[in-house]
Amino acid sequence: MLEEQINAKGGIKGKKIKVIVYDTESDETKAVTLAKKLITEDKVLAIIGPSSTGESMAVIDTVEKAEVPLISCAASAQITTPVKKWVFKTPQSDALAVSELFDYFKSKKIAKLATLTSTGGFGVTGKAAIDQAAPAAGISIVAAETFADKDTDMTVQLTKIKGTDAQAVLVWGTNPGPAIIAKNLKQLGMTIPLFQSHGIANTKFIELAGDAANGVVFPAGKLLVAAGLADSDPQKKLLTQYAADFQAKYGKTADTFGGHAYDALSMLAAAIEKVGPDKAKVRDEIENLKGFVGTGGIFNMSKDDHNGLGKGAFVMIRINNGKWELEKP
């Protein structure tokens, strides 16, 4: 969509852009193979993606050796921490999501937490962020269960959690697992509050979980609740325009995941517009982006921060009657 919009305006510096899209099928090995193909055969200026943590970590060595800018669309802080010279990312990090959640828990006097995390890359790095932040936040992890991304029933793990004194359950993963957990929790008659990560920030979670999605609270970028933002919010204009364009183009609601790629291509376009199609200069320009308004937040990159997002990039959202609502503090 953005490729079409840019080219309709004459491209960048009078040249139209070409976006080459390959499907990694969530396979890390395939992601590496395709990254090498983009670099050696397609001779790309930069790479956007992959969209999962495991795949993004897998291709880092390839792009670093080739000295090709990569803007990942995956969440883990480990993708850009420590900083890799040629690697950036647009999604808000898992560590930032944990911080937002723990602030919320503190306001609700939740001190005892049960976690149910995926054994995939996103879940593993999410659990690490949870475990690292918990002591300072005064959070006690009273149960720590896991699930595989392809598991179809998590009642065993939830039954174990049911026998603890946990005040809330925090699930970390991407669909379908988190939706199955929401349904299993309801089937078991558990009334404990259910919290999720930003990995469920799309309509697919609501579709898969059905009524069990109602009441779930999670941190996410502002896109899902853009219409309810104050007019003074610096992101509102971009978010509402992106959401409207996406709806018109694809006939469905925009989600935060498409937004990550939108931000990445927007950054690349701005950098190329300024310094031309030179890989090293584009890399330097992205590293020095300041006050860049994206769907994921206001980006302020630096040589020490290749994500560039901080407090304020997330809001807490509650699902009510199958709709997203801005959660009150």
Side-chain angles (χ1 to χ4, degrees):
M1 181 186 79
L2 187 53
E3 175 189 18
E4 290 175 1
Q5 290 176 351
I6 291 171
N7 287 338
K9 294 177 181 177
I12 302 173
K13 290 186 174 294
K15 288 188 176 182
K16 292 190 175 182
I17 63 168
K18 181 181 180 182
V19 175
I20 300 165
V21 181
Y22 292 133
D23 182 4
T24 65
E25 299 176 12
S26 298
D27 184 298
E28 293 177 17
T29 302
K30 191 165 187 178
V32 173
T33 299
L34 291 173
K36 289 178 178 177
K37 183 179 181 182
L38 285 167
I39 294 164
T40 59
E41 295 183 27
D42 298 315
K43 310 290 186 185
V44 297
L45 175 64
I47 297 174
I48 293 171
S51 57
S52 80
T53 293
E55 293 167 276
S56 293
M57 296 297 289
V59 303
I60 286 173
D61 186 57
T62 299
V63 298
E64 286 286 293
K65 286 179 179 176
E67 298 187 341
V68 171
L70 176 119
I71 307 179
S72 168
C73 295
S76 175
Q78 292 185 17
I79 296 166
T80 53
T81 307
V83 168
K84 292 88 177 171
K85 182 176 180 179
W86 294 87
V87 178
F88 303 86
K89 77 183 190 78
T90 51
Q92 309 92 336
S93 73
D94 41 17
L96 200 60
V98 169
S99 175
E100 194 74 35
L101 278 159
F102 282 7
D103 284 349
Y104 182 86
F105 291 159
K106 187 175 181 179
S107 73
K108 301 297 181 183
K109 296 182 168 52
I110 294 172
K112 294 181 179 181
L113 185 66
T115 62
L116 188 45
T117 56
S118 162
T119 54
F122 180 64
V124 169
T125 57
K127 184 179 186 303
I130 292 167
D131 292 344
Q132 183 177 354
I139 300 287
S140 175
I141 309 297
V142 299
E145 299 291 330
T146 61
F147 64 96
D149 286 332
K150 293 183 179 179
D151 284 353
T152 57
D153 187 282
M154 276 64 109
T155 53
V156 172
Q157 296 96 314
L158 287 169
T159 300
K160 290 179 182 177
I161 290 171
K162 193 175 182 180
T164 71
D165 59 350
Q167 296 170 281
V169 178
L170 174 56
V171 176
W172 213 273
T174 54
N175 292 314
I180 293 169
I181 291 168
K183 292 173 80 171
N184 288 163
L185 189 128
K186 185 176 181 181
Q187 289 161 359
L188 289 170
M190 295 172 67
T191 56
I192 186 171
L194 177 60
F195 295 87
Q196 300 259 5
S197 74
H198 48 314
I200 67 158
N202 57 35
T203 54
K204 181 58 68 176
F205 173 77
I206 296 174
E207 291 170 14
L208 292 173
D211 289 346
N214 293 325
V216 170
V217 175
F218 64 101
K222 297 175 182 177
L223 176 64
L224 303 186
V225 290
L229 296 174
D231 290 342
S232 58
D233 190 296
Q235 286 180 262
K236 184 169 184 176
K237 182 179 178 181
L238 174 74
L239 290 169
T240 51
Q241 185 65 57
Y242 169 67
D245 288 349
F246 192 98
Q247 181 71 44
K249 171 78 175 168
Y250 300 107
K252 59 182 180 180
T253 304
D255 63 47
T256 58
F257 299 100
H260 299 325
Y262 183 91
D263 289 347
L265 185 51
S266 297
M267 285 178 186
L268 274 175
I272 298 166
E273 185 72 49
K274 192 166 182 181
V275 301
D278 180 293
K279 294 183 182 72
K281 289 180 179 178
V282 166
R283 189 219 74 89
D284 292 348
E285 186 63 26
I286 295 171
E287 187 177 76
N288 289 296
L289 278 178
K290 295 289 185 291
F292 188 89
V293 180
T295 67
I298 310 297
F299 292 87
N300 291 290
M301 301 283 193
S302 72
K303 64 181 179 62
D304 300 317
D305 184 357
H306 279 195
N307 182 209
L309 293 173
K311 199 105 175 120
F314 275 123
V315 290
M316 295 299 290
I317 294 173
R318 178 182 293 273
I319 299 173
N320 187 27
N321 293 323
K323 304 290 183 183
W324 295 303
E325 294 180 355
L326 194 60
E327 173 72 344
K328 298 175 177 63

